[in-house]
Structures are given as C-alpha cells and as structure tokens.
Amino acid sequence: MQGLEEFDFGPEAPDTATMVEERTDLTLWRPNHGFPGGETLGAFQARVSATVTRLVSDYLGRTVVAVTHAGVIDAVLRWAYDLSADSNWMTEASLPNASVTEVEHWPMGRRSDGAPRFTLVHRVGDVSHLPRELVTEI
C-alpha cells in the first residue's frame, strides 16, 4: 500500500552497508533530521500516521494485514501511542525479519466512558511462528 514504504533516506545518504556498519540511522532522532534529498523523520512519521489513520477509517472493524519494514512498524507504534510527527524519535522496537506486530485500534475509544482514542498493542516483533534457525535480526 502506498504510504507504508520504508523511510526514504534520499540519494545523498551513505550506501546501506556503510549505514549498517556505522549505524548512521541512530543520529537521525529529531523530527527535522534526514539526509539531503530524502525524508525527514517528521515527514516519514506524518506519512505513515496518515496512511494508518486512513486504513482504520476505510476498514473500520475489519482486520488489515500489511507487510512492511521495521522503520514503518516503529512509526506505526509511535502512531499507536499517539506520538506526534514533531516529537523526538527516541525509541525503536526489536523487529526481526518476518516477525509479526499486531495492533488493535478504536479511533473513537474502546468504551464510552474511556479514552477518546484507544490502541491495544498485542505483540511486537513476534517470531514464535518461525523455526529457530530462521530467526534473524537483519
């Protein structure tokens, strides 16, 4: 689905091998940070949040399955906890390849006397469906 693509580092970002080795991504933690020609973290969060909000609206009460990358899942978790696109990006989840993250959301609250917006995170980075030898971090 358009809108759930991974963070766009842009053409001037270091190559992937260098970024993994140097963990350049860890220096990108403020909403206005990004590489020239790429997305900022704030723009990335805003894009993912808008997409998930639209999915909730379009498929209210239905189950939606999305296959995506770890950065998007981190952004979805930030959306789930109602962290705005302009807040500092200071956490990430451990999300092994082929893991399952499950989020349930009530945009108008779960109960009439409860919070006006309610999200339940059932599991994050779950690999219990995989044989142990297939579990990898990257």
Side-chain angles (χ1 to χ4, degrees), residues 48-78:
V48 172
S49 293
T51 302
V52 174
T53 298
R54 188 175 73 248
L55 280 170
V56 167
S57 174
D58 290 352
Y59 297 97
L60 189 62
R62 297 173 62 194
T63 299
V64 175
V65 175
V67 178
T68 191
H69 297 272
V72 173
I73 296 169
D74 282 329
V76 169
L77 291 171
R78 289 174 52 82

Side-chain angles (χ1 to χ4, degrees), residues 12-26:
E12 295 187 40
D15 62 73
T16 304
T18 301
M19 286 197 339
V20 169
E21 182 178 310
E22 296 177 4
R23 289 301 309 252
T24 307
D25 61 307
L26 294 179

Side-chain angles (χ1 to χ4, degrees), residues 38-112:
E39 276 183 304
T40 63
L41 282 171
F44 173 64
Q45 181 67 50
R47 171 173 56 83
V48 172
S49 293
T51 302
V52 174
T53 298
R54 188 175 73 248
L55 280 170
V56 167
S57 174
D58 290 352
Y59 297 97
L60 189 62
R62 297 173 62 194
T63 299
V64 175
V65 175
V67 178
T68 191
H69 297 272
V72 173
I73 296 169
D74 282 329
V76 169
L77 291 171
R78 289 174 52 82
W79 169 87
Y81 290 116
D82 204 21
L83 296 171
S84 69
D86 61 352
S87 65
N88 289 335
W89 191 292
M90 299 177 63
T91 61
E92 63 181 44
S94 176
L95 299 163
N97 290 331
S99 66
V100 175
T101 296
E102 183 181 1
V103 176
E104 189 172 3
H105 182 72
W106 292 265
M108 304 306 288
R110 190 172 183 180
R111 297 175 41 117
S112 61

Side-chain angles (χ1 to χ4, degrees), residues 69-70 95-100 125-127 129-130 134-138:
H69 297 272
L95 299 163
N97 290 331
S99 66
V100 175
D126 180 13
V127 291
H129 61 285
L130 296 174
L134 294 181
V135 177
T136 61
E137 289 299 319
I138 295 178

